[in-house]
Amino acid sequence: GHFDMRWQPWQRVTTRLGLALTRASGNTTFLSPNVPPGPLDYGYYKPYGGVEISIARGFSWKADWAFYDYGENALFDPRVGVRGFRGNQVTIAIRNSF
């Protein structure tokens, strides 16, 4: 699923807020015991947001934030460990368009 909302409270300010979701649940029979379990049962969640401010004609300042959350729900395998991560990402930029 994906949700994205854009709101412009003032002429020079634009905000964005959203959420991306992916969820899968599956299983399979592995014929070889040496094969680590694949990513068949996982969840991936990404809320994000940002603001863009128009400074002057052709110049704008932009800041974005995103949170990444990925986790597999498979049984623990000591050969590969826990496969999952979480992280925040912040991006700040000045845009010049001509």
Side-chain angles (χ1 to χ4, degrees):
H2 187 90
F3 169 78
D4 188 57
M5 182 176 72
R6 183 178 158 208
W7 181 49
Q8 193 169 7
W10 299 284
Q11 183 178 0
R12 292 182 173 235
V13 178
T14 304
T15 60
R16 220 176 108 187
L17 185 66
L19 177 65
L21 303 168
T22 302
R23 178 82 177 107
S25 60
N27 56 34
T28 187
T29 302
F30 292 107
L31 300 176
S32 172
N34 296 325
V35 176
L40 299 174
D41 190 8
Y42 67 90
Y44 181 71
Y45 311 99
K46 180 187 165 192
Y48 58 90
V51 63
E52 182 173 357
I53 301 171
S54 178
I55 300 169
R57 183 181 174 119
F59 286 95
S60 62
W61 177 84
K62 185 176 180 180
D64 289 314
W65 165 83
F67 176 74
Y68 295 89
D69 183 10
Y70 173 82
E72 292 183 9
N73 299 325
L75 297 173
F76 178 75
D77 187 350
R79 295 173 290 167
V80 294
V82 177
R83 292 184 289 191
F85 63 86
R86 288 182 174 188
N88 287 291
Q89 178 184 20
V90 176
T91 306
I92 299 173
I94 294 178
R95 185 174 72 165
N96 178 15
S97 56
F98 49 92

